[in-house]
Amino acid sequence: MSCTSVAAGRLDTLVFDDSYVRELPGDPESTNTVRAVYGACHSLVVPTPVAAPRLLACSREAAALIGLDAGECATPRFAEVFAGNALLPGMRPHAACYGGHQFGQWAGQLGDGRAIVLGEVLNAGGARWTLQLKGAGRTPYSRSADGRAVLRSSIREFLCSEAMHHLGVPTTRALSLVVTGEGVLRDMLYDGNPQIEPGAVVCRLAPSFIRFGHFELFTARGDEYTLGKLADYTLRLHFPELGAPSPATYVAWFHEICRRTARLVVEWTRVGFVHGVMNTDNMSVHGLTLDYGPYGWLEDYDPLWTPNTTDAAGRRYCFGNQPGIAQWNLARLAAALRPLIPEAEALQEGIDRYARTYAEGWRAMMAAKLGLSAFEAEDAARVETLFDMLRETPTDMTLFFRGLAELAELPGGVADDALLAPLRVAWYAPPAPAARERLLVWLRALQMRYARDGRPPEERRAAMNRVNPLYVPRNYLVQQVIDRAEQGDTAGIAEMLDVLRHPYVAQPGREGWAAPRPEWARNRVGCSMLSCSS
Ligand code: AMP
Ligand code: MG
């Protein structure tokens, strides 16, 4: 092996750029005190060192994105760097300044209150990956909070980011999970019982962490200069295929964000993901799932379900509202871009494009979930009836669609019980007699539809199993991994990540990772409802 190949893949060989800091206006003040920051896209701030960093988990696939050898992740230096205790040459740590609408209300300046960008790695293929620590300490945007993150929510972010990637859903990535050796005080349920919990830091990766709220803040302040700088920068660095910045390119860019956001929400719908806090400051301009907080996975199908306790009364961010909320958020972004785009109609076209792309994407996605080669007009009623039935008989959405793939291979004249057998595992309660009859009628009609569709049964089954996951990071399973980790057994994190690497492939011996939510988990904190206190 030559000396150069020995060096490749090491921390010290990472090539960093600092375009966000270099090209965009920065905070003139350098003190790390909480304040309003004007006319700036960032404040330089270094992570606050922690007592005893220790690596709990690392994603080798995320490491590969920045050209880092998996072996390098096991070194003490890796834990130091990704806990925020040491900087690598070329890093320019900073917190971003942005605003946002939270629960429908303009919230003013928010900013990275506990996230600190370390720098942008340029990998050998020329791709740019921004590295960001979450939980790395206070910044000028921390408001009254501590800038830290607890282990439970860091495990949740780490596992779900990587699971989403393996599921094929656009997402920010997670490189590492490091415990800090320090305690963090949290009132998990906001009920006046704060507890000391273990602290942790996750390193996330994304092309950038630019949010809708970045643009909203400058427009809300009438700061068209910074708005223009940020828009031009975003176009040049992250959407160069659209051409040099101009009003026409701004329009094309907004349309592209609309298209990507539509695709994102279709994918969430496909896998049963509920983000939980779709505030505009948590919306990525790249169309990625961003900011894993009180998210959840739909188990018994219920479009009104929200995992977020803060949202329990209004259910603004429940599963069924996500497509409409994404559109509302895009309208906020459109308003923020208005100063750059003379014709309001062009922005409205983007919103219309979102609605169209979502509707088309949803039909194609539903056809694929059902194993049909195309969505026909009559399938709309079929799907509507299906969701009525899944609501009527509490049914696990994930397991239902896996069971349906079995059915795709059954012959037409099969007995009722055999027809229902693959679906039993998905029922949280057996169907009432009328519901059972209705389901049988629906299944027989689907079998006839399959016959007309004409695809070979085994091909249909395989295609269905490629879009209907078997393993998703169910809330109660992640909570069990968290419980174990808090007791000192952290092996569950790597075990679960390994299962989630292949979410569409049945893995013998790992049936427990696909099991429907047990009764005890129905109302347990962390398993069904989560707070924002992460
Ligand atoms: P989120 O609801 O997690 O998206 O957070 C909304 C805002 O609160 C963001 O600006 C965060 O940076 C900030 N924030 C949340 N938790 C903390 C914390 N522990 N310390 C400082 N800022 C925080
Ligand atoms: Mg956020």
Side-chain angles (χ1 to χ4, degrees):
M1 221 187 258
S2 74
C3 291
T4 48
S5 66
V6 168
R10 302 264 311 272
L11 279 176
D12 296 319
T13 58
L14 295 180
V15 177
F16 281 95
D17 189 22
D18 59 357
S19 71
Y20 188 92
V21 172
R22 196 179 64 237
E23 297 195 20
L24 292 170
D27 181 0
E29 259 192 69
S30 57
T31 53
N32 189 1
T33 51
V34 173
R35 57 203 144 79
V37 174
Y38 292 99
C41 295
H42 56 82
S43 303
L44 296 180
V45 57
V46 289
T48 306
V50 301
R54 188 165 60 85
L55 182 79
L56 284 196
C58 166
S59 159
R60 58 174 185 259
E61 296 86 357
L65 293 174
I66 54 168
L68 204 57
D69 279 349
E72 190 74 355
C73 304
T75 61
R77 185 153 166 78
F78 183 93
E80 291 284 335
V81 169
F82 293 106
N85 282 16
L87 295 177
L88 295 172
M91 284 179 169
R92 292 283 299 282
H94 61 274
C97 183
Y98 55 82
H101 278 83
Q102 299 189 315
F103 294 93
Q105 306 296 320
W106 174 241
Q109 176 184 306
L110 296 166
D112 289 332
R114 57 164 163 178
I116 296 181
V117 168
L118 294 174
E120 304 151 29
V121 171
L122 300 177
N123 74 11
R128 180 179 300 269
W129 286 99
T130 300
L131 271 55
Q132 186 190 65
L133 300 183
K134 189 164 172 182
R138 289 172 60 82
T139 76
Y141 310 97
S142 293
R143 294 179 287 171
S144 58
D146 63 5
R148 293 300 189 189
V150 293
L151 177 60
R152 64 182 151 84
S153 47
S154 304
I155 291 176
R156 286 171 51 80
E157 172 130 23
F158 177 83
L159 282 174
C160 200
S161 307
E162 290 305 283
M164 290 291 256
H165 163 69
H166 295 296
L167 283 161
V169 181
T171 180
T172 62
R173 303 294 300 275
L175 172 66
S176 57
L177 166 64
V178 175
V179 276
T180 60
E182 293 178 0
V184 175
L185 192 66
R186 282 290 181 280
D187 186 355
M188 181 163 70
L189 298 176
Y190 303 119
D191 62 358
N193 286 308
Q195 306 272 325
I196 298 278
E197 298 188 44
V201 176
V202 167
C203 179
R204 323 193 270 195
L205 308 184
S208 87
F209 289 89
I210 300 172
R211 302 148 191 265
F212 291 9
H214 271 80
F215 301 91
E216 290 178 272
L217 180 62
F218 302 121
T219 300
R221 287 172 167 174
D223 181 358
E224 290 186 22
Y225 173 79
T226 313
L227 174 74
K229 290 290 255 189
L230 182 63
D232 290 359
Y233 166 83
T234 308
L235 276 172
R236 263 187 295 108
L237 270 281
H238 299 291
F239 296 81
E241 66 281 5
L242 299 177
S246 71
T249 351
Y250 297 141
V251 169
W253 171 52
F254 179 64
H255 288 192
E256 176 63 11
I257 297 174
C258 290
R259 198 188 62 75
R260 291 192 196 188
T261 304
R263 160 148 195 258
L264 176 69
V265 183
V266 167
E267 293 291 273
W268 287 355
T269 310
R270 173 173 66 85
V271 298
F273 176 78
V274 188
H275 182 286
V277 207
M278 287 178 73
N279 292 332
T280 57
D281 54 303
N282 292 338
M283 297 290 293
S284 155
V285 297
H286 300 282
L288 303 171
T289 313
L290 171 64
D291 274 7
Y292 291 89
Y295 67 81
W297 293 80
L298 209 57
E299 291 184 311
D300 50 306
Y301 179 81
D302 175 6
L304 291 178
W305 183 70
T306 173
N308 184 354
T309 48
T310 312
D311 192 32
R315 298 189 182 265
R316 178 180 174 87
Y317 297 139
C318 69
F319 180 72
N321 274 2
Q322 296 189 123
I325 290 293
Q327 180 166 332
W328 190 87
N329 290 345
L330 285 164
R332 302 287 75 70
L333 178 61
L337 299 180
R338 186 74 180 88
L340 302 173
I341 297 172
E343 321 87 51
E345 309 78 57
L347 289 165
Q348 185 55 47
E349 272 168 39
I351 304 285
D352 296 345
R353 170 175 303 216
Y354 166 84
R356 252 196 338 271
T357 312
Y358 179 80
E360 284 162 14
W362 182 87
R363 283 193 293 269
M365 178 272 290
M366 279 314 306
K369 279 185 88 67
L370 288 171
L372 301 171
S373 39
F375 194 92
E376 291 179 357
E378 60 154 71
D379 295 320
R382 185 186 317 284
V383 172
E384 206 179 303
T385 308
L386 170 63
F387 288 130
D388 275 352
M389 292 189 305
L390 296 185
R391 259 199 312 268
E392 191 180 16
T393 300
T395 305
D396 190 271
M397 186 180 98
T398 301
L399 293 174
F400 178 86
F401 281 100
R402 288 298 284 204
L404 207 57
E406 305 290 318
L407 188 122
E409 277 194 308
L410 293 179
V414 70
D416 290 355
D417 278 344
L419 198 54
L420 295 175
L423 305 176
R424 283 184 200 287
V425 59
W427 290 334
Y428 286 102
R436 184 175 182 278
E437 281 315 305
R438 195 176 174 207
L439 180 57
L440 282 165
V441 168
W442 186 88
L443 291 170
R444 301 248 182 244
L446 182 63
Q447 283 196 303
M448 279 154 67
R449 175 79 174 83
Y450 284 160
R452 262 190 295 128
D453 200 49
R455 244 204 252 177
E458 61 290 359
E459 189 186 308
R460 181 189 318 283
R461 179 173 186 246
M464 289 172 81
N465 283 342
R466 281 195 297 273
V467 296
N468 294 313
L470 177 58
Y471 305 99
V472 294
R474 290 172 184 273
N475 310 322
Y476 86 91
L477 291 172
V478 180
Q479 187 58 42
Q480 286 178 321
V481 168
I482 292 169
D483 291 344
R484 277 170 70 186
E486 287 179 347
Q487 301 304 311
D489 169 15
T490 55
I493 304 169
E495 277 171 38
M496 187 166 195
L497 175 58
D498 205 45
V499 173
L500 294 171
R501 282 199 165 97
H502 304 286
Y504 299 99
V505 183
Q507 301 171 40
R510 289 171 154 181
E511 291 74 13
W513 294 101
R517 182 197 57 221
E519 195 48 39
W520 60 259
R522 183 184 289 272
N523 295 310
R524 214 196 117 185
V525 174
C527 298
S528 57
M529 293 296 271
L530 294 121
S531 80
C532 287
S533 77
S534 54

